[in-house]
Amino acid sequence: VERLDGVTRERFLRDIYPRRKPVVLTGLELGTCTTKWTIDYLSQAEGSKEVKIHVSAVPQMDFLSKNFVYRTLPFDAFVRRAAEVKHKEYFLTEDEKYYLRSVGDDVRKDIADIRKQFPILAEDVRIPEYFEKEQFFSSVFRISSAGLQLWTHYDVMDNFLIQVTGRKRVVLYSPRDAPYLYLSGTKSEVLDVDNPDMEKYPLFVKAKRYQCVLEAGDVLFIPALWFHNVISEEFGVALNVFWKHLPAESYDKTDTYGNKDPMAASRAIQILDRALKTLEELPEEYRDFYARRMVLRIQEKAYRNDYG
């Protein structure tokens, strides 16, 4: 993934954004958070308010098999634990991993917004305003233990992953490679992208891998629909900012996480499911014949032919 230094808003919108490829932006002015957010400062800044966290006994978190538990801790205690390697106090094991993904007050209705959930810390951050204010969707505060790996998934909105402290490795795949990622909803079944099980996932080898390492102060632009797998190489704090680049009515009103398919896509999939159900009325050889013709028609009508 390309790294570019000191990119202005104008240059980003003119040269980088339209290419719809991930890029690491360095040297941006992010506020005092990059120097201020030590473990001591974080733990006392927001005090002991309760936060809901993921706790995992293994480094690779799997959202499909749910190999983690949700627990609640006071924020200051959580920060100290997430920064430790071995824990004196723990829920599952002494080397368990912690992960905070901030959420709205009512998860079903409210989006994550650092200004509401962590107002004191929000004052230390300058979010790069490379999009219009009314396009803003959410700002998600994240803290991860060293070694934690998040499942590969895509989001339906563009976003900046702002690495405030610590180091992350991010592996990305183009939306084009969805057929090789063994998807279940928005998530890939392939957890270990470095050593995949090729017997179980033989097509995965065809997916082209993009990779970058984010140091403190780096900002990764992740275009909508790009798959990403995030490995925290050190204890670290990050902030994701999501914004809407489609008309507001395209998005599902009940989506507080930014990962529900656009309304038209959901409707199209429902219609396709009905069409496939209708094909079942035919004998097998006819079903096969008309299904192949349907695939051809989809390719003809809806595939892009200008992918570089």
Side-chain angles (χ1 to χ4, degrees), residues 56 58-68 147-153 169 171 173 180-184 187-198 200-201 204 209 228-231:
S56 176
V58 293
Q60 280 165 344
M61 281 174 57
D62 179 1
F63 199 81
L64 297 172
S65 74
K66 297 279 197 292
N67 67 346
F68 51 84
L148 184 85
Q149 182 169 12
L150 282 184
W151 54 89
T152 306
H153 67 285
R169 180 162 64 92
V171 177
Y173 300 95
Y180 316 130
L181 297 179
Y182 297 87
L183 294 189
S184 176
K187 299 159 188 78
S188 166
E189 288 176 23
V190 186
L191 283 187
D192 191 342
V193 292
D194 295 322
N195 300 292
D197 180 338
M198 296 317 286
K200 207 170 171 189
Y201 309 116
F204 185 69
R209 173 190 179 112
H228 43 289
N229 180 292
V230 182
I231 302 114

Side-chain angles (χ1 to χ4, degrees), residues 41 62 84 104 123 170 202 247 264:
Y41 174 76
D62 179 1
E84 301 167 344
E123 289 182 12
V170 186

Side-chain angles (χ1 to χ4, degrees), residues 235-281:
F235 163 78
V237 184
L239 185 65
N240 264 112
V241 185
F242 292 87
W243 69 91
K244 300 174 178 178
H245 67 294
L246 304 177
E249 61 276 10
S250 309
Y251 299 100
D252 188 325
K253 294 282 179 288
T254 65
D255 185 8
T256 54
Y257 286 97
N259 60 7
K260 285 192 179 175
D261 293 316
M263 302 294 279
S266 301
R267 285 201 308 276
I269 287 166
Q270 285 169 354
I271 295 164
L272 176 64
D273 285 340
R274 285 207 298 277
L276 292 169
K277 193 97 190 102
T278 311
L279 278 187
E280 285 172 19
E281 295 168 22

Side-chain angles (χ1 to χ4, degrees), residues 15-301:
D15 302 335
I16 298 160
Y17 191 61
R19 297 201 315 236
R20 313 299 297 155
K21 288 244 174 92
V23 62
V24 179
L25 306 172
T26 63
L28 298 186
E29 182 46 67
L30 300 173
T32 54
C33 56
T34 48
T35 49
K36 216 169 165 183
W37 285 7
T38 60
I39 293 158
D40 287 340
Y41 174 76
L42 286 168
S43 47
Q44 53 89 33
E46 294 281 353
S48 57
K49 69 157 167 232
E50 302 269 284
V51 286
K52 192 177 178 186
I53 52 171
H54 300 66
V55 183
S56 176
V58 293
Q60 280 165 344
M61 281 174 57
D62 179 1
F63 199 81
L64 297 172
S65 74
K66 297 279 197 292
N67 67 346
F68 51 84
V69 294
Y70 292 104
R71 291 290 179 266
T72 306
L73 276 177
F75 184 72
D76 49 3
F78 156 70
V79 169
R80 298 210 171 276
R81 279 212 214 173
E84 301 167 344
V85 178
K86 285 267 184 279
H87 312 294
K88 286 190 184 68
E89 293 175 54
Y90 50 85
F91 297 109
L92 307 170
T93 65
E94 62 173 10
D95 53 2
E96 65 195 15
K97 308 285 183 198
Y98 297 91
Y99 172 55
L100 166 72
R101 182 234 189 261
S102 66
V103 290
D105 299 329
D106 178 339
V107 185
R108 290 182 305 279
K109 291 210 244 355
D110 303 322
I111 52 131
D113 185 342
I114 190 173
R115 292 167 298 189
K116 292 192 180 120
Q117 286 102 39
F118 299 93
I120 296 159
L121 294 177
E123 289 182 12
D124 301 335
V125 187
R126 268 183 62 180
I127 290 170
E129 300 211 339
Y130 286 23
F131 49 90
E132 301 300 327
K133 282 215 172 8
E134 59 275 11
Q135 288 177 279
F136 171 84
F137 174 70
S138 66
S139 51
V140 181
F141 184 63
R142 300 180 190 270
I143 297 183
S144 316
S145 293
L148 184 85
Q149 182 169 12
L150 282 184
W151 54 89
T152 306
H153 67 285
Y154 71 87
D155 300 293
V156 299
M157 293 184 198
D158 290 335
N159 83 84
F160 280 146
L161 171 53
I162 302 165
Q163 190 63 23
V164 181
T165 71
R167 186 195 296 130
K168 274 201 178 96
R169 180 162 64 92
V170 186
V171 177
L172 302 116
Y173 300 95
S174 155
R176 278 210 80 173
D177 285 341
Y180 316 130
L181 297 179
Y182 297 87
L183 294 189
S184 176
T186 60
K187 299 159 188 78
S188 166
E189 288 176 23
V190 186
L191 283 187
D192 191 342
V193 292
D194 295 322
N195 300 292
D197 180 338
M198 296 317 286
E199 280 184 22
K200 207 170 171 189
Y201 309 116
L203 294 176
F204 185 69
V205 72
K206 293 186 169 190
K208 183 180 173 187
R209 173 190 179 112
Y210 294 78
Q211 181 170 298
C212 61
V213 172
L214 299 182
E215 304 287 352
D218 288 348
V219 177
L220 171 62
F221 167 52
I222 307 176
L225 309 182
W226 272 76
F227 295 88
H228 43 289
N229 180 292
V230 182
I231 302 114
S232 294
E233 298 198 332
E234 301 170 339
F235 163 78
V237 184
L239 185 65
N240 264 112
V241 185
F242 292 87
W243 69 91
K244 300 174 178 178
H245 67 294
L246 304 177
E249 61 276 10
S250 309
Y251 299 100
D252 188 325
K253 294 282 179 288
T254 65
D255 185 8
T256 54
Y257 286 97
N259 60 7
K260 285 192 179 175
D261 293 316
M263 302 294 279
S266 301
R267 285 201 308 276
I269 287 166
Q270 285 169 354
I271 295 164
L272 176 64
D273 285 340
R274 285 207 298 277
L276 292 169
K277 193 97 190 102
T278 311
L279 278 187
E280 285 172 19
E281 295 168 22
L282 293 167
E284 191 180 23
E285 69 180 299
Y286 285 84
R287 200 164 64 227
D288 179 276
F289 176 69
Y290 288 104
R292 285 170 197 273
R293 287 187 57 189
M294 282 164 72
V295 169
L296 285 172
R297 182 173 294 199
I298 289 172
Q299 285 178 336
E300 210 173 277
K301 296 271 185 206

